[in-house]
Each structure stands twice: as structure tokens, then as C-alpha cells.
Amino acid sequence: MKTFVKNGMVYRNHCFQKADIQIDDGKIQTIGPNLFEEGSTLVDGTGMWVVPGFIDIHTHGADGVDVNAATGEDFEKICRFQARQGTTSWLASVLTDTKEQTLWCIEQYNRWKQGEKKGAHLMGIHLEGPFLSTEYKGAMPEHLLQKPNTDLVREYQKAAGGDIRYLTIAPELEGAISFISQMKELGIVVSIGHSAASYETAMEAIKAGAASSTHTGNAMKLLHQRFPAIWGAALESETLYCEMICDGLHLHPGVIRLTIKAKGLDKVVAVTDSIMAAGLPDGNYKLGVNDVVVKDGDAKLAGKENRAGSTLTTGKALKNLLSFTGKSLEEILPLLTENPARLLGVYDRIGSIEEGKDADLVLLDQKLEVCETMVKGLCVL
């Protein structure tokens, strides 16, 4: 049965225009005026902004579920939570853990793929480590960090059926530069982060194929006027995408504005880096092997000042970005849609509203609250 989204203001080519959308078999078939067929499903978009579904490429959990401990059923619970926030596609970020536990996480991801799906689409896995700096480990368990190991990633990629999509590495580690090229051959997008890398080493990693920087400005050596380090390289590079956690805690709004000014609106990717506490009250939680305390929405390692992910959602990130930057909805939307899709190489299928693409849509009211989420043409909110 065909579905029609009627009378909405549709986001296309970085601007809004009133249009109807015809959806068939999970794909956008036609966009234009006065579309409808009797007997079809109608989604009323009157008074709504119709935007591409949000894409979150870096999240460790939500709604009481930690990715490192999630069963196949738990992954679907996160999927349904994500859909309520306007997220239609996401990557499960596996925090540095033992080989056995990482393989168990991959096994549970495979179980999710075989089960019932009524939420956001889980695109695959992001490995945040274990090839990271001990100096900038953040919430990573130091005793599990190691040098780049291509054979280990090959084993993970085989277990995941090729669905390891994204990997964070510290480029100063021994063998990291050649490792980046090998990851590209395995179909994995490489991000640099959790790193004490010099400017020169970071630039070498970018030249080797690193495509992104993980939660830019956090868990990395900071910019100095004589030693720009990895952060300076990330800001200067014309090709590198920069993840940003836009919760107002990880980065000052001024830094967010500065990053956008340096990178341009087409090279910034808004991520949540959320943990299992997202959507829940303050309290005690887990992030992988770590105990985490959330107070006033701010997640920190128990007994320490180190931040341990966030409680951010994509819908809140959108509102924060609009507030922090003063830019328009049209300008900010690519940070949550087009840019992550381009980074992961899936823009041919998702990330914008175009004929032939997946019907991943979000209907926002005038206050930018999520009123409906559609994944592959199905209403899942």
C-alpha cells in the first residue's frame, strides 16, 4: 500500500517548500503538489516541517540500555527510543572492552538483525577503541587499550558480516598510519580521537584516509599557539569531518560557533555520544565497565571529573545548535542528516529527501518537537 505525506513544508536542497511525498515499498517515489490516491495511507503534515531522519553515528546507549551489555532485544529498545527523538539511523558505539565481550556485542547485534524491527534502523557498529591513547583515554579502561591490530579488526568484521562501519583510533600509536589504509580496505571509515597526536601526525593520518575526528575538542590534545596538535589539524583540514557533542557541557557554545566557522556547515557532524542514561533521570549508571553518575544531566565517571558520554538526544542537539549559533533550521539540519550520511558513504540512500531514497522522515511541529518518525516509509513513533 502506498503512503502519502500531505501538506507539509518539505526540506529539499537546503530549503523548505510545500509539497506532498508519495512513498511506496519504503522508498520516496514522487515529491510534488497534490499527490494522493484513494485507499492509500495518509500522513497529515499540515503545519509541520518534514525533514530527513536524523543520523547518530556515535552513541553508547539510551533508555536504560548500555550498548556493551545490550542483548538483541535491548538493541531494539534503543531503536525505538531513537525513533522517538527523530533518529532514523544510528551506529552502536562499542566502548573499549575485552575481545570476548566485543565479540558478544557483535553476536547480539546479529541477533537484532534477525529480530522484529519497529524503531530506528541500526546501520552497524562503531568501535571506539581499543587503539587509543592512554593519556587521553577518557572513560576507556586503560588496561584494555592496545596498539593497532589489523587481524583483530578483521576477526570483528568477519563476525559482524561486514557491518563494522566506523572506528576511532589515536593516530600517534605505532603502526596507526598504515592501519588506517588497511581499515579503508575493510570498508571501515576511520575517525581520529582519544589522542595526544601532534599536528604533523594528525595531518599524516588524514592524508592516509582518516575521514573524521571523534568528539572534536574532547579527549584530545588541545590547540596551542605553537603546537596546534590534533585539534588544530582537525580544524584546518578541508576534508576531515568533525564530530561535535552539542550539549553545552562538552563544548562551550563559542567553541561550537568557532568550529562551524572554521569547518563550514558541510564538515560538522552532530553526535550525541549518549549513554544508557539518555531519556532517564539523574542517578547511577554504567558505560561499558565503568560506573557513571549523572547529576543535572551531566554524566561523569564515579568519583571523578571525567565526563563519560552524555545524556543528549538528537532532537535536543538540534535545538541547542539553533540556540548556540543563531543560524536557521535550514542551515543546521545537514549536521544531523546529510553530513553523517556523506561521512559514512550512505548518502545515496539516506540523509536527504529525494526521489529514490529511503523514506526516512521526521515531522516536526513549529516548536521543533518530534510528532512523527518514519523509517523506510513506516510510522514508528
Side-chain angles (χ1 to χ4, degrees):
M1 180 182 293
K2 295 179 181 178
T3 298
F4 290 84
V5 181
K6 293 281 294 179
N7 302 319
M9 294 297 293
V10 178
Y11 184 71
R12 298 186 72 198
N13 301 316
H14 299 160
C15 63
F16 285 99
Q17 53 186 276
K18 190 169 184 179
D20 301 332
I21 302 173
Q22 177 187 331
I23 300 166
D24 194 8
D25 196 26
K27 301 285 186 180
I28 298 170
Q29 298 296 325
T30 309
I31 304 170
N34 305 316
L35 300 177
F36 191 64
E37 295 180 12
E38 290 296 331
S40 300
T41 300
L42 173 65
V43 177
D44 187 5
T46 303
M48 303 287 182
W49 307 111
V50 183
V51 304
F54 305 145
I55 303 168
D56 192 358
I57 64 171
H58 188 162
T59 169
H60 298 279
D63 200 20
V65 178
D66 176 55
V67 162
N68 280 49
T71 65
E73 293 76 16
D74 288 333
F75 276 124
E76 180 60 20
K77 185 178 181 183
I78 301 175
C79 288
R80 298 186 187 197
F81 175 86
Q82 295 278 25
R84 296 195 294 272
Q85 317 310 314
T87 300
T88 54
S89 299
W90 64 289
L91 291 180
S93 297
V94 177
L95 196 82
T96 296
D97 213 319
T98 65
K99 176 180 175 179
E100 293 74 21
Q101 188 63 23
T102 302
L103 286 170
W104 183 86
C105 292
I106 293 170
E107 178 187 347
Q108 296 307 311
Y109 163 78
N110 290 334
R111 281 187 57 194
W112 170 84
K113 288 180 67 176
Q114 298 166 4
E116 182 184 21
K117 302 174 185 66
K118 290 188 177 180
H121 176 59
L122 176 50
M123 298 183 290
I125 293 170
H126 164 214
L127 295 177
E128 192 171 10
F131 318 120
L132 307 174
S133 162
T134 57
E135 185 179 354
Y136 288 88
K137 63 182 182 295
M140 302 296 162
E142 184 171 345
H143 69 285
L144 295 176
L145 298 178
Q146 59 176 283
K147 296 177 182 178
N149 184 335
T150 302
D151 289 340
L152 179 63
V153 179
R154 282 201 183 100
E155 183 176 352
Y156 290 159
Q157 186 67 303
K158 182 179 179 180
D163 282 355
I164 307 293
R165 307 289 189 191
Y166 193 51
L167 180 146
T168 300
I169 184 174
E172 72 274 20
L173 299 180
E174 181 182 342
I177 303 303
S178 60
F179 176 86
I180 290 170
S181 300
Q182 292 164 348
M183 291 305 98
K184 289 182 65 180
E185 293 172 4
L186 289 175
I188 299 172
V189 176
V190 175
S191 186
I192 53 176
H194 284 277
S195 168
S198 67
Y199 169 89
E200 291 77 15
T201 298
M203 280 299 194
E204 191 177 356
I206 295 167
K207 185 177 180 180
S212 176
S213 66
T214 296
H215 43 52
T216 309
N218 294 111
M220 62 173 52
K221 196 172 183 65
L222 301 183
L223 177 68
H224 183 278
Q225 70 268 28
R226 291 188 295 276
F227 310 101
I230 180 175
W231 196 4
L235 291 176
E236 185 190 357
S237 170
E238 294 183 359
T239 61
L240 196 80
Y241 287 85
C242 282
E243 287 185 13
M244 286 200 305
I245 306 171
C246 299
D247 60 356
L249 299 170
H250 284 79
L251 297 171
H252 186 281
V255 173
I256 291 172
R257 292 190 292 271
L258 176 63
T259 302
I260 290 174
K261 183 173 287 188
K263 298 300 298 181
L265 289 163
D266 62 333
K267 282 293 186 287
V268 174
V269 175
V271 300
T272 64
D273 197 11
S274 66
I275 66 170
M276 66 185 299
L280 298 176
D282 289 353
N284 298 318
Y285 296 96
K286 298 288 288 189
L287 174 58
V289 300
N290 300 295
D291 292 315
V292 176
V293 177
V294 177
K295 183 178 179 180
D296 298 327
D298 193 3
K300 294 183 179 181
L301 293 178
K304 300 181 180 180
E305 287 302 309
N306 303 58
R307 286 208 163 84
S310 84
T311 60
L312 188 64
T313 63
T314 48
K316 181 60 176 174
L318 174 64
K319 293 178 182 179
N320 285 346
L321 278 161
L322 294 170
S323 174
F324 295 163
T325 66
K327 294 186 179 297
S328 67
L329 181 60
E330 293 93 326
E331 292 174 295
I332 290 299
L333 277 169
L335 278 65
L336 290 147
T337 57
E338 179 178 338
N339 298 352
R342 289 188 184 278
L343 169 61
L344 292 184
V346 294
Y347 187 64
D348 60 324
R349 302 192 300 275
I350 60 175
S352 66
I353 299 176
E354 298 176 42
E355 292 170 355
K357 287 195 173 184
D358 291 352
D360 289 355
L361 307 172
V362 177
L363 276 63
L364 302 172
D365 67 16
Q366 295 303 304
K367 294 182 179 180
L368 302 182
E369 296 294 332
V370 176
C371 295
E372 186 61 80
T373 302
M374 303 180 72
V375 177
K376 310 295 183 277
L378 297 177
C379 295
V380 296
L381 183 57

